[in-house]
Amino acid sequence: MGEQYGGDHQDFRDGEFNGPFIAKQVEYHQHGPGPTALDALPPKVGGFTGRSDQLGELLGAFDPAGGEAPGAVLVAAVSGLGGIGKTALAVEAAHKACDKGWFPGGVLFVNLHGYDDDRVTAEQALETLLRGLGTPPEHIPNGVDARAALYRSVLAARERDLGAVLVLADNASSAEQVRPLHPGGVRHRLLATSRSKLPQLGARLLPLGELSPKEAYDLLDRALRIAAPGDARVVDEGEAAAELGLLCGHLPLALQIAAALLVLDRDKPVAELVVELAESGDRLLHLDDGERSVRAAFDLSYRRLPAEQARLLRLLALAPGPEVTAEVVAVLDGADAAPVRVLDALCRAHLVERGSRRGRWRLHDLVRVFGVGVVEGDVGLWEEGEAARERVLEFYYRWADAADDRLRWLPGRPVPERFGDRAEALAWLDSERAGLVAAVQWAREERYAATAVLLSQRLGEYLDWRRFFDDKITVCGAAREVAHRAGNRVDEAIAWNSLGIALQETGRAGEAIDAHTRARDLHQAVEDHHGEAGAWGNLGSALWEAGRAMEAIDAHMRARDLFQAVGDRHAEARAWDNLGLALRQAGRAEEAIDAHTQARDLYQAVGDRHGEARGWNNLGGALWEAGRREEAVEACEKALEGLREFEDWYGAGRTLSNLALAHQHAARPAEARTAYLQSADAYTRANAPTEAAQARTRAEALTP
């Protein structure tokens, strides 16, 4: 072939040509290395804190030592709610991996804008990555498949020449966006972030949850100190900072915005911001610093939801309690069964989370606030939501009423239909307790007041049984307030009575006396003699708790007489039992024995085996006071049989403590220690930690 000697001429003197030919001028250009974007990793997020476990898992996935192993992790996907800190974690992990020298070939970064209106397609993302690898635009083919093939080829060459590359694909909305970006080979790694879990990628899935309270505290403190190293407001106001973290749902974006608001106003105490958020009708209105907004972050996810998913998310935001069962989801939805497919889709999008156990669902606190805001902003959605809440409240009342019937059932009465036995009723109440208590608070809204008050009355027996007295105070307080406002003296009296029982059990005997006095007066005013009798009995118990034995005796005798007059033998048995306790307190042991014997016999007559067991226990105490020790032990042993049968662990704990005391007096320390330990276990099962600790202390004192 010829050789160019200069100018624009070609020299063909040594060429051999066997046919016609055409010569054209050709230009040759010397190019430098193509521009690349292999150092385009965004800077670390200032103030990044926590996530040590997740960071360790990502670095384990990046580690080149596992690259040749079977099942090596080539793709990892970090997913979570908008604002949960996915990008911050991914970038932090990428920087640490690069610092270790694991990706000498460089790092590629592409933002897929998966939740924007103009999200990046896989074809567009591949063009960006190929340009980042130095591929001239004119050499980039059209079509996803062709670009993906070239992309993998270029990466393979780079692996041979320089080493492994990390590809970080941020903010994906679907596996379709990410799958073509797989770099191929065994040394490269692909890390994707998304608000969806992307199980279709065959990737190591790393779902992110909210920060721990300690991590939230550290984030706030670090953010303030970055702006001003001497800013110690978080440390100085530790309790307020913890409350601020809670109000922000321990969500990194919300915490960062809260920190920015404090940075902007260095004179603002943390507690002042807490008050603003707590008292605001719309917390998300405050969680906006002009550039970042929690509501805007959630809205991006919400607007991409299909109609059925958006509707269910809104309804779940209106549910009572921190989490709901599948049953309640179905009621909210107005369907026969929970829409599991829709729930699973919302879970994949991290807008709904699985609850404390299978078949339960929850929303992040701020997602709930967002959902309520969406409903309140639209008249049609608001009415849909009110109808759903009405369905839930009616459902709760029907089932709580049936469960209460089962708990109060005695042989000879019609057998309740909804629950097969007492244990089944208790299990349902246990599973729905938080929702039931929250639903009673709807009583303050006129539309729900009547049903919510009825619901409160059906929870009293259960809350007493499980010793959830704080819940009972909450429930009765709401019912009393509503009944008083409506002028319903009967319902108000019932609420005062129930409230008094809870106050007494929590050691507030003075308040309990006042509550039962109010209940008694209200029942008297409407000439409700049965209700009045119950109020006298409860007043007597509160007086007994306060050590006012003579007044207690008088109150219990009034209760006994009224129950006799209205023919309620079951309630009369309870009055005799309580009277016996007051008589014992007054030092009248023989009279107490008679009273407890009357109570035991009446309980037997009406078929209340659990009441009978309580009667045996109290009779045992009176016999002990009278010096009849062997009879007392026999009575306690009979009581224990019945209390265990009904899983009355608090009563069993008390009886076992009595037995332990009897063994002590009889110089049987080993038996006494065993009984105290059994008592501690029973009290623990009864949600009575103070009594359990006392029983263990007494057992330890008897240790040889």
Side-chain angles (χ1 to χ4, degrees):
M1 281 292 292
E3 187 176 325
Q4 182 171 335
Y5 283 92
D8 57 359
H9 301 281
Q10 298 286 340
D11 183 357
F12 300 106
R13 284 175 295 183
D14 296 327
E16 295 182 6
F17 308 100
N18 299 317
F21 71 95
I22 299 173
K24 289 187 178 181
Q25 181 173 327
V26 179
E27 295 182 1
Y28 291 89
H29 300 277
Q30 182 67 37
H31 292 285
T36 67
L38 284 153
D39 55 356
L41 186 62
K44 293 182 179 182
V45 175
F48 179 86
T49 186
R51 305 295 195 196
S52 56
D53 291 345
Q54 295 88 345
L55 198 56
E57 186 168 348
L58 276 184
L59 290 175
F62 290 164
D63 191 343
E68 304 290 342
V73 177
L74 304 179
V75 183
V78 178
S79 63
L81 181 65
I84 205 71
K86 302 178 292 296
T87 301
L89 173 64
V91 168
E92 183 77 13
H95 275 286
K96 287 189 178 298
C98 290
D99 290 344
K100 293 175 181 289
W102 289 351
F103 296 105
V107 179
L108 289 166
F109 178 88
V110 59
N111 187 344
L112 298 175
H113 296 281
Y115 294 85
D116 293 351
D117 292 334
D118 54 346
R119 63 178 181 147
V120 175
T121 65
E123 186 173 359
Q124 292 169 330
L126 285 165
E127 179 177 358
T128 298
L129 294 171
L130 285 166
R131 285 173 178 257
L133 288 163
T135 306
E138 63 271 21
H139 291 174
I140 297 176
N142 293 323
V144 172
D145 292 342
R147 288 182 177 181
L150 178 59
Y151 163 72
R152 290 192 295 272
S153 176
V154 173
L155 281 175
R158 193 167 189 88
E159 181 180 346
R160 288 192 300 271
D161 297 341
L162 296 173
V165 171
L166 171 64
V167 182
L168 177 48
D170 190 36
N171 200 18
S173 62
S174 66
E176 180 186 11
Q177 269 186 304
V178 179
R179 191 178 292 108
L181 311 187
H182 194 299
V186 294
R187 297 175 62 198
H188 299 310
R189 296 289 187 271
L190 170 62
L191 173 59
T193 72
S194 176
R195 299 185 184 197
S196 296
K197 291 182 180 176
L198 306 181
Q200 307 90 339
L201 286 179
R204 170 74 59 80
L205 301 181
L206 183 61
L208 283 190
E210 60 204 47
L211 296 175
S212 70
K214 176 63 166 59
E215 290 172 333
Y217 174 94
D218 289 344
L219 187 155
L220 289 168
D221 185 46
R222 189 171 299 183
L224 266 60
R225 291 185 187 275
I226 287 173
D231 193 338
R233 279 177 287 176
V234 169
V235 174
D236 294 343
E237 299 181 72
E239 288 187 12
E243 183 65 20
L244 179 58
L246 189 63
L247 288 168
C248 289
H250 300 132
L251 184 77
L253 175 60
L255 292 161
Q256 290 158 2
I257 292 172
L261 296 174
L262 290 170
V263 166
L264 287 171
D265 187 351
R266 293 188 180 176
D267 294 327
K268 182 193 283 286
V270 177
E272 186 177 321
L273 180 57
V274 167
V275 170
E276 289 175 5
L277 288 173
E279 295 183 353
S280 171
D282 183 357
R283 246 183 292 167
L284 300 189
L285 187 64
H286 290 269
L287 292 174
D288 186 330
D289 64 3
E291 291 187 1
R292 296 169 297 182
S293 163
V294 174
R295 174 172 278 115
F298 291 169
D299 193 55
L300 285 174
S301 297
Y302 175 74
R303 286 191 288 112
R304 287 187 57 81
L305 294 176
E308 61 182 357
Q309 293 178 30
R311 175 179 179 271
L312 188 59
L313 181 68
R314 294 191 303 267
L315 296 178
L316 288 171
L318 304 176
E323 61 180 32
V324 291
T325 59
E327 269 186 312
V328 175
V329 175
V331 175
L332 280 166
D333 192 40
D336 293 333
V340 176
R341 180 181 57 82
V342 180
L343 285 166
D344 285 342
L346 288 170
C347 264
R348 288 194 297 272
H350 287 282
L351 289 168
V352 171
E353 303 168 10
R354 296 192 182 276
S356 56
R357 57 182 182 270
R358 190 169 182 82
R360 302 181 74 90
W361 312 86
R362 68 180 293 270
L363 299 183
H364 184 279
D365 189 35
L366 294 183
V367 174
R368 181 186 296 275
V369 174
F370 171 80
V372 170
V374 171
V375 171
E376 290 179 345
D378 184 290
V379 174
L381 298 181
W382 180 84
E383 184 50 46
E384 177 186 58
E386 292 295 277
R389 291 174 68 201
E390 203 157 44
R391 289 195 297 271
V392 168
L393 188 56
E394 289 171 355
F395 164 79
Y396 270 155
Y397 171 69
R398 288 195 308 272
W399 283 85
D401 184 47
D404 187 54
D405 284 346
R406 172 52 77 176
L407 295 185
R408 296 175 185 272
W409 179 77
L410 295 172
R413 296 182 181 178
V415 178
E417 295 180 359
R418 287 185 187 268
F419 294 99
D421 55 26
R422 183 184 183 85
E424 189 179 326
L426 285 169
W428 183 85
L429 288 162
D430 287 340
S431 71
E432 299 290 358
R433 175 171 63 95
L436 290 163
V437 172
V440 170
Q441 308 313 300
W442 294 353
R444 295 184 173 93
E445 300 175 55
E446 185 176 353
R447 179 169 181 162
Y448 308 113
T451 306
V453 168
L454 289 174
L455 173 61
S456 75
Q457 295 168 3
R458 299 303 181 269
L459 297 178
E461 178 77 8
Y462 162 69
L463 295 174
D464 284 343
W465 182 262
R466 290 298 199 215
R467 302 186 64 77
F468 295 132
F469 297 119
D470 288 341
D471 281 347
K472 190 171 183 182
I473 289 171
T474 298
V475 163
C476 296
R480 183 204 59 76
E481 176 187 325
V482 172
H484 178 75
R485 190 170 62 240
N488 187 327
R489 288 188 286 183
V490 172
D491 281 349
E492 185 182 354
I494 292 171
W496 274 118
N497 230 348
S498 293
L499 179 60
I501 294 170
L503 290 168
Q504 179 185 331
E505 291 288 354
T506 52
R508 297 156 66 177
E511 294 174 75
I513 290 170
D514 179 64
H516 292 309
T517 300
R518 288 172 179 266
R520 179 201 64 192
D521 294 346
L522 284 165
H523 281 301
Q524 284 178 342
V526 296
E527 297 184 357
D528 176 6
H529 300 305
H530 191 274
E532 182 189 349
W536 273 115
N538 291 330
L539 176 58
S541 295
L543 289 165
W544 172 83
E545 188 72 32
R548 294 157 62 175
M550 299 309 296
E551 293 172 84
I553 290 170
D554 178 66
H556 287 310
M557 290 177 70
R558 287 176 179 269
R560 179 201 61 192
D561 294 345
L562 282 168
F563 281 130
Q564 283 178 344
V566 298
D568 188 340
R569 300 178 72 203
H570 186 230
E572 183 189 342
R574 186 168 62 248
W576 275 112
D577 221 7
N578 290 331
L579 175 59
L581 294 173
L583 289 166
R584 279 177 58 195
Q585 190 179 60
R588 295 153 63 175
E590 291 298 334
E591 292 176 76
I593 291 172
D594 290 340
H596 290 310
T597 302
Q598 287 274 12
R600 180 202 61 191
D601 294 346
L602 275 172
Y603 279 129
Q604 286 177 340
V606 298
D608 183 353
R609 296 195 309 280
H610 178 242
E612 180 186 345
R614 290 199 308 264
W616 273 116
N617 176 77
N618 293 333
L619 177 58
L623 289 165
W624 182 269
E625 291 285 342
R628 296 157 63 175
R629 304 298 168 82
E630 293 303 319
E631 291 176 82
V633 170
E634 290 177 11
C636 286
E637 288 174 345
K638 285 182 177 292
L640 198 55
E641 292 176 15
L643 294 169
R644 283 173 168 164
E645 176 189 349
F646 281 84
E647 297 187 355
D648 180 354
W649 301 118
Y650 189 85
R654 185 174 52 196
T655 300
L656 284 161
S657 286
N658 290 339
L659 281 172
L661 187 62
H663 287 309
Q664 275 186 275
H665 279 276
R668 296 191 291 265
E671 291 87 341
R673 183 175 182 276
T674 298
Y676 276 131
L677 290 174
Q678 291 175 340
S679 173
D681 290 343
Y683 277 133
T684 298
R685 297 179 72 172
N687 188 33
T690 302
E691 291 88 338
Q694 290 172 347
R696 287 193 188 92
T697 299
R698 289 168 181 162
E700 289 169 5
L702 294 171
T703 301

mmCIF file of all heavy atoms in Angstrom, residues 589-612:
data_model
loop_
_atom_site.group_PDB
_atom_site.id
_atom_site.type_symbol
_atom_site.label_atom_id
_atom_site.label_comp_id
_atom_site.label_asym_id
_atom_site.label_seq_id
_atom_site.Cartn_x
_atom_site.Cartn_y
_atom_site.Cartn_z
ATOM 1 N N ALA A 589 -61.933 -11.313 113.260
ATOM 2 C CA ALA A 589 -61.626 -12.489 112.444
ATOM 3 C C ALA A 589 -62.775 -13.480 112.375
ATOM 4 O O ALA A 589 -63.073 -14.043 111.304
ATOM 5 C CB ALA A 589 -60.363 -13.166 112.961
ATOM 6 N N GLU A 590 -63.442 -13.767 113.490
ATOM 7 C CA GLU A 590 -64.508 -14.763 113.478
ATOM 8 C C GLU A 590 -65.676 -14.302 112.601
ATOM 9 O O GLU A 590 -66.261 -15.098 111.849
ATOM 10 C CB GLU A 590 -64.984 -15.049 114.900
ATOM 11 C CG GLU A 590 -63.963 -15.791 115.763
ATOM 12 C CD GLU A 590 -63.608 -17.169 115.207
ATOM 13 O OE1 GLU A 590 -64.453 -17.755 114.485
ATOM 14 O OE2 GLU A 590 -62.494 -17.664 115.467
ATOM 15 N N GLU A 591 -66.008 -13.002 112.688
ATOM 16 C CA GLU A 591 -67.071 -12.473 111.814
ATOM 17 C C GLU A 591 -66.640 -12.553 110.351
ATOM 18 O O GLU A 591 -67.459 -12.819 109.456
ATOM 19 C CB GLU A 591 -67.399 -11.025 112.187
ATOM 20 C CG GLU A 591 -68.054 -10.840 113.534
ATOM 21 C CD GLU A 591 -68.257 -9.380 113.854
ATOM 22 O OE1 GLU A 591 -69.188 -8.760 113.283
ATOM 23 O OE2 GLU A 591 -67.461 -8.837 114.661
ATOM 24 N N ALA A 592 -65.339 -12.320 110.099
ATOM 25 C CA ALA A 592 -64.819 -12.406 108.724
ATOM 26 C C ALA A 592 -64.952 -13.827 108.194
ATOM 27 O O ALA A 592 -65.314 -14.049 107.032
ATOM 28 C CB ALA A 592 -63.359 -11.960 108.695
ATOM 29 N N ILE A 593 -64.666 -14.837 109.049
ATOM 30 C CA ILE A 593 -64.808 -16.237 108.623
ATOM 31 C C ILE A 593 -66.245 -16.507 108.198
ATOM 32 O O ILE A 593 -66.498 -17.130 107.157
ATOM 33 C CB ILE A 593 -64.382 -17.189 109.771
ATOM 34 C CG1 ILE A 593 -62.873 -17.094 109.991
ATOM 35 C CG2 ILE A 593 -64.790 -18.628 109.460
ATOM 36 C CD1 ILE A 593 -62.387 -17.842 111.225
ATOM 37 N N ASP A 594 -67.200 -16.032 108.980
ATOM 38 C CA ASP A 594 -68.611 -16.221 108.626
ATOM 39 C C ASP A 594 -68.939 -15.562 107.286
ATOM 40 O O ASP A 594 -69.647 -16.136 106.439
ATOM 41 C CB ASP A 594 -69.508 -15.642 109.728
ATOM 42 C CG ASP A 594 -69.440 -16.467 111.018
ATOM 43 O OD1 ASP A 594 -69.017 -17.643 110.935
ATOM 44 O OD2 ASP A 594 -69.800 -15.922 112.077
ATOM 45 N N ALA A 595 -68.426 -14.340 107.091
ATOM 46 C CA ALA A 595 -68.723 -13.613 105.846
ATOM 47 C C ALA A 595 -68.137 -14.337 104.632
ATOM 48 O O ALA A 595 -68.810 -14.507 103.602
ATOM 49 C CB ALA A 595 -68.168 -12.189 105.936
ATOM 50 N N HIS A 596 -66.891 -14.797 104.752
ATOM 51 C CA HIS A 596 -66.261 -15.492 103.618
ATOM 52 C C HIS A 596 -66.915 -16.848 103.367
ATOM 53 O O HIS A 596 -66.997 -17.301 102.209
ATOM 54 C CB HIS A 596 -64.761 -15.661 103.875
ATOM 55 C CG HIS A 596 -63.987 -14.374 103.829
ATOM 56 N ND1 HIS A 596 -64.094 -13.481 102.799
ATOM 57 C CD2 HIS A 596 -63.101 -13.835 104.715
ATOM 58 C CE1 HIS A 596 -63.296 -12.444 103.031
ATOM 59 N NE2 HIS A 596 -62.687 -12.630 104.198
ATOM 60 N N THR A 597 -67.370 -17.486 104.413
ATOM 61 C CA THR A 597 -68.083 -18.750 104.236
ATOM 62 C C THR A 597 -69.392 -18.524 103.482
ATOM 63 O O THR A 597 -69.752 -19.299 102.580
ATOM 64 C CB THR A 597 -68.369 -19.402 105.604
ATOM 65 O OG1 THR A 597 -67.124 -19.615 106.294
ATOM 66 C CG2 THR A 597 -69.081 -20.726 105.435
ATOM 67 N N GLN A 598 -70.114 -17.469 103.852
ATOM 68 C CA GLN A 598 -71.335 -17.096 103.128
ATOM 69 C C GLN A 598 -71.021 -16.846 101.652
ATOM 70 O O GLN A 598 -71.743 -17.295 100.759
ATOM 71 C CB GLN A 598 -71.944 -15.832 103.747
ATOM 72 C CG GLN A 598 -72.610 -16.046 105.092
ATOM 73 C CD GLN A 598 -74.061 -16.503 104.943
ATOM 74 O OE1 GLN A 598 -74.501 -16.877 103.850
ATOM 75 N NE2 GLN A 598 -74.812 -16.472 106.045
ATOM 76 N N ALA A 599 -69.925 -16.112 101.408
ATOM 77 C CA ALA A 599 -69.550 -15.797 100.025
ATOM 78 C C ALA A 599 -69.239 -17.072 99.255
ATOM 79 O O ALA A 599 -69.744 -17.280 98.135
ATOM 80 C CB ALA A 599 -68.331 -14.867 100.019
ATOM 81 N N ARG A 600 -68.429 -17.957 99.832
ATOM 82 C CA ARG A 600 -68.060 -19.204 99.161
ATOM 83 C C ARG A 600 -69.296 -20.029 98.819
ATOM 84 O O ARG A 600 -69.426 -20.542 97.697
ATOM 85 C CB ARG A 600 -67.130 -20.000 100.070
ATOM 86 C CG ARG A 600 -66.666 -21.332 99.486
ATOM 87 C CD ARG A 600 -66.238 -22.264 100.587
ATOM 88 N NE ARG A 600 -67.363 -22.564 101.505
ATOM 89 C CZ ARG A 600 -67.227 -23.176 102.668
ATOM 90 N NH1 ARG A 600 -66.029 -23.534 103.105
ATOM 91 N NH2 ARG A 600 -68.298 -23.429 103.426
ATOM 92 N N ASP A 601 -70.210 -20.126 99.764
ATOM 93 C CA ASP A 601 -71.411 -20.938 99.534
ATOM 94 C C ASP A 601 -72.299 -20.337 98.453
ATOM 95 O O ASP A 601 -72.880 -21.061 97.632
ATOM 96 C CB ASP A 601 -72.193 -21.087 100.835
ATOM 97 C CG ASP A 601 -71.432 -21.903 101.882
ATOM 98 O OD1 ASP A 601 -70.437 -22.564 101.499
ATOM 99 O OD2 ASP A 601 -71.822 -21.862 103.063
ATOM 100 N N LEU A 602 -72.421 -19.027 98.444
ATOM 101 C CA LEU A 602 -73.232 -18.377 97.402
ATOM 102 C C LEU A 602 -72.582 -18.546 96.029
ATOM 103 O O LEU A 602 -73.269 -18.787 95.028
ATOM 104 C CB LEU A 602 -73.419 -16.899 97.726
ATOM 105 C CG LEU A 602 -74.578 -16.542 98.664
ATOM 106 C CD1 LEU A 602 -74.524 -15.068 99.062
ATOM 107 C CD2 LEU A 602 -75.929 -16.847 97.986
ATOM 108 N N TYR A 603 -71.274 -18.412 95.962
ATOM 109 C CA TYR A 603 -70.574 -18.625 94.683
ATOM 110 C C TYR A 603 -70.820 -20.051 94.185
ATOM 111 O O TYR A 603 -71.061 -20.285 92.993
ATOM 112 C CB TYR A 603 -69.069 -18.379 94.838
ATOM 113 C CG TYR A 603 -68.646 -16.922 94.791
ATOM 114 C CD1 TYR A 603 -67.829 -16.389 95.793
ATOM 115 C CD2 TYR A 603 -69.036 -16.090 93.738
ATOM 116 C CE1 TYR A 603 -67.409 -15.063 95.754
ATOM 117 C CE2 TYR A 603 -68.628 -14.763 93.697
ATOM 118 C CZ TYR A 603 -67.822 -14.254 94.693
ATOM 119 O OH TYR A 603 -67.415 -12.938 94.649
ATOM 120 N N GLN A 604 -70.754 -21.014 95.107
ATOM 121 C CA GLN A 604 -71.026 -22.402 94.727
ATOM 122 C C GLN A 604 -72.456 -22.545 94.204
ATOM 123 O O GLN A 604 -72.705 -23.221 93.202
ATOM 124 C CB GLN A 604 -70.827 -23.319 95.937
ATOM 125 C CG GLN A 604 -69.381 -23.564 96.317
ATOM 126 C CD GLN A 604 -69.249 -24.423 97.557
ATOM 127 O OE1 GLN A 604 -70.195 -24.544 98.348
ATOM 128 N NE2 GLN A 604 -68.078 -25.037 97.753
ATOM 129 N N ALA A 605 -73.392 -21.876 94.858
ATOM 130 C CA ALA A 605 -74.805 -22.003 94.490
ATOM 131 C C ALA A 605 -75.085 -21.458 93.096
ATOM 132 O O ALA A 605 -75.933 -22.009 92.375
ATOM 133 C CB ALA A 605 -75.679 -21.276 95.524
ATOM 134 N N VAL A 606 -74.404 -20.387 92.710
ATOM 135 C CA VAL A 606 -74.661 -19.794 91.386
ATOM 136 C C VAL A 606 -73.743 -20.383 90.325
ATOM 137 O O VAL A 606 -73.826 -20.020 89.146
ATOM 138 C CB VAL A 606 -74.524 -18.251 91.419
ATOM 139 C CG1 VAL A 606 -75.540 -17.649 92.359
ATOM 140 C CG2 VAL A 606 -73.099 -17.824 91.777
ATOM 141 N N GLY A 607 -72.844 -21.299 90.706
ATOM 142 C CA GLY A 607 -71.985 -21.972 89.731
ATOM 143 C C GLY A 607 -70.775 -21.175 89.284
ATOM 144 O O GLY A 607 -70.203 -21.457 88.233
ATOM 145 N N ASP A 608 -70.344 -20.198 90.099
ATOM 146 C CA ASP A 608 -69.170 -19.392 89.745
ATOM 147 C C ASP A 608 -67.942 -20.017 90.409
ATOM 148 O O ASP A 608 -67.591 -19.703 91.545
ATOM 149 C CB ASP A 608 -69.370 -17.949 90.205
ATOM 150 C CG ASP A 608 -68.203 -17.039 89.781
ATOM 151 O OD1 ASP A 608 -67.197 -17.564 89.255
ATOM 152 O OD2 ASP A 608 -68.298 -15.813 90.009
ATOM 153 N N ARG A 609 -67.269 -20.905 89.678
ATOM 154 C CA ARG A 609 -66.125 -21.614 90.258
ATOM 155 C C ARG A 609 -64.943 -20.674 90.517
ATOM 156 O O ARG A 609 -64.187 -20.869 91.470
ATOM 157 C CB ARG A 609 -65.685 -22.755 89.338
ATOM 158 C CG ARG A 609 -66.739 -23.843 89.159
ATOM 159 C CD ARG A 609 -66.147 -25.100 88.557
ATOM 160 N NE ARG A 609 -65.362 -24.867 87.356
ATOM 161 C CZ ARG A 609 -65.876 -24.694 86.130
ATOM 162 N NH1 ARG A 609 -67.193 -24.735 85.962
ATOM 163 N NH2 ARG A 609 -65.088 -24.501 85.094
ATOM 164 N N HIS A 610 -64.807 -19.684 89.679
ATOM 165 C CA HIS A 610 -63.716 -18.743 89.909
ATOM 166 C C HIS A 610 -63.990 -17.902 91.159
ATOM 167 O O HIS A 610 -63.093 -17.676 91.990
ATOM 168 C CB HIS A 610 -63.536 -17.831 88.691
ATOM 169 C CG HIS A 610 -62.459 -16.814 88.878
ATOM 170 N ND1 HIS A 610 -62.706 -15.459 88.871
ATOM 171 C CD2 HIS A 610 -61.129 -16.951 89.094
ATOM 172 C CE1 HIS A 610 -61.575 -14.808 89.073
ATOM 173 N NE2 HIS A 610 -60.602 -15.685 89.206
ATOM 174 N N GLY A 611 -65.231 -17.433 91.306
ATOM 175 C CA GLY A 611 -65.597 -16.707 92.518
ATOM 176 C C GLY A 611 -65.421 -17.574 93.750
ATOM 177 O O GLY A 611 -64.964 -17.111 94.809
ATOM 178 N N GLU A 612 -65.778 -18.826 93.615
ATOM 179 C CA GLU A 612 -65.626 -19.754 94.740
ATOM 180 C C GLU A 612 -64.157 -19.864 95.143
ATOM 181 O O GLU A 612 -63.827 -19.905 96.343
ATOM 182 C CB GLU A 612 -66.170 -21.124 94.333
ATOM 183 C CG GLU A 612 -66.068 -22.158 95.438
ATOM 184 C CD GLU A 612 -66.480 -23.546 94.947
ATOM 185 O OE1 GLU A 612 -67.095 -23.648 93.861
ATOM 186 O OE2 GLU A 612 -66.178 -24.530 95.656
#
